[in-house]
Amino acid sequence: MSKELEGKVVIVTGGAGGIGSRIARAFARNGAKVAIASRGMDKLRVIAEELEADGQACLPIACDVTDAAQVESMMDETVSKLGGLDVLVNNAGGALFVKSPEEISAEDWRSGIALNLDSVFFCCTAAAKYMSKQRSGRIINISSVAGIKASPAFVHYGAAKAGVINL
């Protein structure tokens, strides 16, 4: 167990997915209190129950990270129930669809940017409010090689992940 993480409060977005759940488990195994967020509660509850059965604190939160108001509520709930906020892992995202650039509608474009870039910005700014007050904290933004190397079938995803790299 890492002494650095013992008692720290961590939020992992996309916490119901494969990568997100593994990130959350790693933090929890090292003594952190973990909030996991995703749009649906079913998978979150299963992960939370597994962690709690092992004696690790876990708070599942249903949150659409593309909605700034829901992100603010997620931060408030985490701080209220777990006692603070020390680390944010922005892991939520996905390619949503495979289409050539000329097939992507304005709505497709906006939904891809919202999930993969807007969500990171919303979470960073909401977490920064708490972290700046306590004068400490860490934000980890998960991106993709797609943000560096373009793919014609994923222009929306690559553009968003390049934005995350820039953030």
Side-chain angles (χ1 to χ4, degrees), residues 84-145:
L85 177 60
D86 299 294
V87 180
L88 165 66
V89 180
N90 281 312
N91 173 68
L96 297 180
F97 52 82
V98 177
K99 292 182 179 179
S100 64
E102 61 274 8
E103 295 174 310
I104 297 174
S105 68
E107 185 177 319
D108 287 341
W109 177 263
R110 283 190 292 276
S111 67
I113 297 298
L115 176 60
N116 292 292
L117 181 58
D118 293 350
S119 64
V120 175
F121 176 75
F122 296 154
C123 289
C124 284
T125 56
K129 292 175 188 174
Y130 289 101
M131 292 176 179
S132 63
K133 284 180 190 170
Q134 65 196 27
R135 302 181 69 90
S136 68
R138 300 289 184 266
I139 297 175
I140 302 166
N141 294 329
I142 306 294
S143 188
S144 167
V145 69

Side-chain angles (χ1 to χ4, degrees), residues 24-78:
R25 285 180 176 101
F27 273 106
R29 273 194 312 273
N30 283 285
K33 297 182 278 185
V34 180
I36 51 176
S38 189
R39 285 176 288 200
M41 283 297 283
D42 292 342
K43 289 181 181 178
L44 291 176
R45 281 192 189 103
V46 170
I47 296 163
E49 288 169 5
E50 289 171 10
L51 290 174
E52 289 168 352
D54 289 338
Q56 300 156 340
C58 185
L59 174 65
I61 302 173
C63 178
D64 178 350
V65 291
T66 68
D67 181 323
Q70 287 189 42
V71 168
E72 293 280 346
S73 293
M74 171 184 66
M75 299 293 169
D76 293 342
E77 183 175 355
T78 299

